[in-house]
């Protein structure tokens, strides 16, 4: 991530570099200042606060390694990490094959598929708060969807049992984001050259064979982009889970971000909360870099890293 | 029959024709029955809850508990909507508009300037360094830095104001905007910039009269994307807003839920009301948004 300037750009320096275009640098300053104040300084600040004691209102006092010790020895942390990874993995496993198949399907050019894509987008417009509230009502064992449809399976205490609640979180996340990832895959499929399929057809490859030998390999970078968004995005499921389950039942859905909020803003333990925030940053960076390496290419196309 | 075949042949011989956007995709793209079935099933999964929210919002509490929840009310009522509107919906709506407009326009403007500088002044160490910083910023989740942001807002004496949400929202919209916009500005042919320079245009003039019109699709996409994110934002208001009067819609919605308890129809009416404005915007800007997203992310 530090070696950003792509080599190809250097080539045209003799024409666009030199004296005059240098005067353009000031244009980057406003964005840089804003980002330094609310992005970089807080990033350093959270590290500093992890060595401090603060209740959110009063004075900030240095506390050495106290917060780190208390968090690292607390069984709540491995649990929150575990829940975070379980929800991350399950939602990836659930969303990826579905979005991929639907995306390949949507890539056709018939008019009705355009309309499908339009309807598909609607869940992305709802705020997580609205979504969580809706599904809470929808899954009500007595008056929700189950009783309306007369399907007994749906009449469970969805948010009252640990395993079910985790499942609900994964489902609601998928409900919101499968459409988005389908659209990403749709875009990816449309960029695969037709000629490849035609050549495969001449060679007698069937539909399945074409899917596994052409579509899937050609979508490699799309899969990595989509997975990166899914995985890194899953660290930010705070609002959805906060409103849907508030971490419960018990602490079954208490992910890292929620754990941080509860310790910091509800219990007034900003030091330990900052420790968790630091861990959150490290996990996020680690995942982003890991997936980037998996992609096997650097910065030639920076969108892949998004 | 013969014409059809020869037509297809001709298209095969000229690969550029295959890229025509409206062409029916029967040849080439493998048929995908599983995907098709899943697509329709998932559409149902998407639409049923939406249908349910809407019909329930028109029920009274007693019909909701008494009748089948999947069947629309026999005598639909607007009572729930009246309740929500009287509970200050307009106020929260205005707050959301102020926050969204107040954050998105400056965010996109300064990101555009930065992206322009990064592309035009490439090779300068300061700009390379700035660009790296923004790229790194993509990996920082807002949640991770919310505690220091809260502290900074208190120090700036902005706690419990709309500005408290606007400023961090601007900052967190910058990395992705710069990324998307630099990619678009890079596609502008160098010759155009050169000829502007020959004509004696300033960088500012080139930005406004060359880069701006050519980058407009990307600007619209970025604007809609951040508009949506900020409109729906929950964490910043939750942490930085205290008085009921300053709540934006998502936070107000969460409070409604606490207030109305088991009055599901009223809660769902507030869900509908908070979603409606964004749905209208989506219908207006849909084509732009979808094409922007598929082009931007699907590369």
């Amino acid at each position: 991530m530090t070696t950003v300037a792509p080599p190809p750009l250097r080539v045209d320096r003799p024409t666009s570099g030199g004296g005059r275009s240098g005067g353009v640098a000031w244009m980057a300053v406003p964005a840089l200042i804003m980002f330094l104040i609310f992005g970089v300084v807080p990033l350093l600040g959270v590290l500093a606060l992890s060595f401090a004691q603060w209740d959110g209102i009063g004075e900030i006092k240095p506390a050495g390694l106290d917060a780190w010790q208390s968090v690292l020895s607390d069984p709540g942390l491995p649990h929150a990490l575990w829940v975070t990874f379980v929800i991350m993995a399950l939602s990836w496993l659930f969303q990826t094959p579905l979005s991929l198949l639907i995306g390949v399907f949507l890539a056709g050019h018939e008019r009705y598929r355009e309309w499908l894509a339009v309807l598909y987008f609607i869940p992305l417009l709802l705020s997580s708060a609205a979504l969580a509230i809706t599904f809470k009502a929808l899954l009500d064992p007595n008056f929700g969807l189950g009783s309306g449809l007369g399907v007994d399976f749906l009449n469970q205490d969805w948010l009252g049992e640990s395993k079910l609640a985790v499942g609900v979180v994964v489902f609601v996340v998928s409900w919101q984001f499968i459409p988005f990832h389908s659209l990403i895959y749709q875009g990816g499929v449309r960029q695969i050259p037709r000629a490849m399929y035609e050549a495969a057809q001449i060679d007698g490859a069937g539909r399945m064979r074409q899917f596994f030998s052409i579509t899937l390999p050609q979508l490699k970078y799309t899969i990595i982009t989509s997975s990166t968004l899914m995985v890194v995005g899953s660290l930010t499921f705070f609002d959805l889970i906060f409103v849907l389950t508030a971490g419960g039942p018990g602490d079954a859905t208490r992910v890292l971000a929620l754990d941080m909020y509860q310790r910091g803003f509800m219990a007034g333990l900003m030091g330990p909360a900052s420790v968790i925030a630091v861990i959150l940053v490290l996990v996020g960076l680690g995942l982003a870099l890991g997936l980037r390496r998996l992609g096997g290419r650097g910065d030639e196309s920076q969108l892949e890293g998004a | 029959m013969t014409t059809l075949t020869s037509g297809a042949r001709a298209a095969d011989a000229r690969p550029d024709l295959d890229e025509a956007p409206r062409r029916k995709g029967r040849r080439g793209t493998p048929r995908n029955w599983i995907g098709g079935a899943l697509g329709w099933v998932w559409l149902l999964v998407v639409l049923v809850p939406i249908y349910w929210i809407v019909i329930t919002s028109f029920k009274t509490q007693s019909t909701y508990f008494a009748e089948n929840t999947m069947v629309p009310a026999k005598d639909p009522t607007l009572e729930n909507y009246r309740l929500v509107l009287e509970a200050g919906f307009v106020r929260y709506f205005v707050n959301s508009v102020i926050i969204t407009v107040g954050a998105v326009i400056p965010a996109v403007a300064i990101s555009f300037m930065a992206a322009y500088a990064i592309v035009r002044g490439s090779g300068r160490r300061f700009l390379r360094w700035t660009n790296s910083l923004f790229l790194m910023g993509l990996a920082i989740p807002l949640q991770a830095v919310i505690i220091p942001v809260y502290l900074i807002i208190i120090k700036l004496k902005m706690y419990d104001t709309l500005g408290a949400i606007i400023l961090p929202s601007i900052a967190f919209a910058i990395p992705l905007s710069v990324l998307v916009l630099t990619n678009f500005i890079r596609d502008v042919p160098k010759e155009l910039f050169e000829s502007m320079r020959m004509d004696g245009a300033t960088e500012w003039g080139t930005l406004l009269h060359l880069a701006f019109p050519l980058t407009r699709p990307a600007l619209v996409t970025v604007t809609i994307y951040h508009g949506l994110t900020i409109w729906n934002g929950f964490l910043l208001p939750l942490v930085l807003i205290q008085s009921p009067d300053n709540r934006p819609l998502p936070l107000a919605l969460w409070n409604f839920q606490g207030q109305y308890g088991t009055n599901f129809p009223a809660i769902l009416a507030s869900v509908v009301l908070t979603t409606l404005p964004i749905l209208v915007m989506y219908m207006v800007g849909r084509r732009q948004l979808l094409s922007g997203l598929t082009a931007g992310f699907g590369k």
Side-chain angles (χ1 to χ4, degrees):
Chain A
M1 274 199 178
T2 40
T3 55
V4 170
L9 274 179
R10 298 261 176 87
V11 178
D12 50 57
R13 267 181 79 189
T15 48
S16 73
R20 292 187 63 178
S21 68
V24 79
W26 65 271
M27 284 192 183
V29 173
L32 184 63
I33 290 176
M34 277 307 281
F35 189 68
L36 283 175
I37 296 177
F38 290 101
V40 179
V41 169
L43 198 60
L44 301 173
V46 81
L47 191 63
L49 282 171
S50 74
F51 298 103
Q53 193 191 352
W54 184 40
D55 62 3
I57 306 160
E59 256 182 273
I60 303 171
K61 296 184 203 110
L65 287 169
D66 286 3
W68 283 90
Q69 257 161 4
S70 82
V71 171
L72 293 178
S73 63
D74 181 347
L77 177 70
H79 177 79
L81 263 172
W82 170 248
V83 173
T84 305
F85 280 115
V86 166
I87 289 177
M88 182 186 292
L90 287 180
S91 43
W92 185 85
L93 281 173
F94 190 59
Q95 290 184 83
T96 301
L98 279 175
S99 324
L100 183 69
L101 282 167
I102 296 172
V104 174
F105 167 70
L106 284 179
H109 282 288
E110 291 90 344
R111 197 95 191 105
Y112 77 90
R113 299 197 206 197
E114 308 269 315
W115 277 102
L116 269 185
V118 170
L119 293 171
Y120 261 58
F121 203 79
I122 294 174
L124 283 160
L125 303 173
L126 275 73
S127 70
S128 297
L131 209 64
I133 289 170
T134 300
F135 274 92
K136 240 162 117 172
L138 202 62
L139 292 171
D140 187 280
N142 300 310
F143 305 107
L145 196 60
S147 68
L149 292 173
V151 182
D152 277 342
F153 165 76
L154 287 169
N155 279 332
Q156 305 192 50
D157 189 7
W158 288 102
L159 298 172
E161 275 174 51
S162 303
K163 280 187 182 150
L164 291 180
V166 171
V168 170
V169 169
V170 170
F171 178 80
V172 176
V173 164
S174 308
W175 191 86
Q176 189 172 19
F177 289 112
I178 280 182
F180 175 69
H181 294 283
S182 305
L183 293 180
I184 293 182
Y185 284 117
Q186 177 191 1
V189 171
R190 284 192 179 166
Q191 296 195 356
I192 302 175
R194 285 269 153 72
M196 296 183 80
Y197 291 107
E198 281 152 16
Q201 241 164 8
I202 292 167
D203 291 344
R207 299 286 182 199
M208 281 303 224
R209 185 71 204 273
Q210 285 178 33
F211 178 78
F212 284 106
S213 308
I214 300 174
T215 312
L216 220 46
Q218 284 290 312
L219 287 179
K220 183 183 168 199
Y221 294 118
T222 315
I223 295 173
I224 290 165
T225 304
S226 153
S227 300
T228 308
L229 291 171
M230 274 184 204
V231 163
V232 178
S234 73
L235 292 177
T236 65
F237 288 160
F238 167 80
D239 31 8
L240 178 82
I241 298 178
F242 178 72
V243 179
L244 189 68
T245 68
D251 54 3
T253 54
R254 179 164 298 131
V255 290
L256 275 179
L258 190 63
D259 196 23
M260 181 210 71
Y261 177 82
Q262 287 175 330
R263 283 180 205 244
F265 292 94
M266 291 170 86
L269 299 168
M270 291 295 191
S274 300
V275 173
I276 302 204
V278 173
I279 295 171
L280 201 60
V281 173
L282 294 178
V283 171
L285 274 176
L287 286 168
L289 289 174
L291 283 157
R292 206 182 172 79
R293 178 151 305 173
L294 208 66
R297 64 177 180 184
D299 295 294
E300 53 189 279
S301 170
Q302 287 152 347
L303 263 180
E304 304 302 338
Chain B
M1 196 64 198
T2 18
T3 26
L4 262 182
T5 331
S6 64
R9 282 263 168 73
D12 283 347
R14 282 173 297 165
D16 53 327
L17 270 186
D18 282 3
E19 298 304 318
R22 285 271 156 243
R23 213 180 98 110
K24 292 224 168 196
R26 249 178 302 153
R27 297 205 78 205
T29 322
R31 215 164 289 160
N32 168 1
W33 298 112
I34 309 170
L38 278 176
W40 290 104
V41 169
W42 196 259
L43 186 69
L44 213 62
V45 174
V46 164
L47 291 182
V48 166
I50 293 170
Y51 161 81
W52 183 82
I53 302 171
V54 176
I55 62 156
T56 309
S57 69
F58 291 106
K59 290 181 178 178
T60 64
Q61 211 177 347
S62 53
T63 48
Y64 173 69
F65 286 128
E67 291 169 9
N68 186 317
T69 51
M70 288 308 289
V71 181
K74 280 189 217 78
D75 47 346
T77 169
L78 285 169
E79 186 58 23
N80 301 312
Y81 288 91
R82 195 184 60 83
L83 196 67
V84 175
L85 285 170
E86 279 178 0
F89 176 84
V90 177
R91 172 92 211 209
Y92 305 134
F93 174 80
V94 171
N95 288 341
S96 278
V97 171
I98 295 172
I99 290 168
T100 308
V101 174
V104 172
I105 290 177
V108 173
I110 62 177
S111 303
F112 181 53
M113 284 166 61
Y116 179 84
I118 286 166
V119 174
R120 292 295 295 147
S122 66
R124 306 203 105 214
R125 183 173 296 158
F126 165 70
L127 290 168
R128 282 215 309 269
W129 182 81
T130 304
N131 194 25
S132 313
L133 194 72
F134 289 151
L135 281 178
M136 186 200 75
L138 287 169
I140 307 176
L142 177 61
Q143 282 91 337
V145 293
I146 190 70
I147 296 171
V149 166
Y150 167 75
L151 179 59
I152 291 170
I153 291 294
I154 292 178
K155 292 279 179 211
L156 291 173
K157 304 222 180 315
M158 291 184 77
Y159 180 73
D160 198 23
T161 63
L162 298 184
I165 309 176
I166 292 176
L167 291 182
S169 299
I170 293 176
F172 277 86
I174 290 171
L176 187 67
S177 311
V178 171
L179 177 76
V180 171
L181 295 174
T182 44
N183 277 319
F184 261 78
I185 300 176
R186 278 207 181 107
D187 289 342
V188 176
K190 293 275 177 304
E191 295 75 23
L192 292 178
F193 286 117
E194 289 307 315
S195 62
M196 284 287 282
R197 213 173 74 177
M198 298 291 193
D199 293 346
T202 57
E203 290 293 354
W204 189 245
T206 313
L207 174 94
L208 283 181
H209 300 299
L210 176 68
F212 178 72
L214 289 175
T215 323
R216 193 139 49 192
L219 285 167
V220 173
T221 304
V222 169
T223 302
I224 298 177
Y225 177 83
H226 291 304
L228 198 60
T229 316
I230 295 170
W231 181 273
N232 285 334
F234 184 76
L235 180 65
L236 284 172
L238 179 71
V239 170
L240 300 173
I241 293 291
Q242 198 172 29
S243 17
D245 272 356
N246 289 336
R247 284 175 194 149
L249 285 173
L251 191 64
L253 193 61
W254 180 61
N255 273 87
F256 274 140
Q257 186 212 5
Q259 258 170 52
Y260 296 141
T262 52
N263 191 350
F264 289 125
I267 293 168
L268 292 170
S270 64
V271 171
V272 174
L273 270 185
T274 57
T275 311
L276 217 52
I278 206 98
L279 201 67
V280 171
M281 273 183 57
Y282 172 57
M283 285 167 169
V284 176
R286 164 182 75 75
R287 189 151 278 286
Q288 194 69 253
L289 178 71
L290 289 182
S291 58
L293 279 180
T294 42
F297 287 103
K299 265 186 188 168

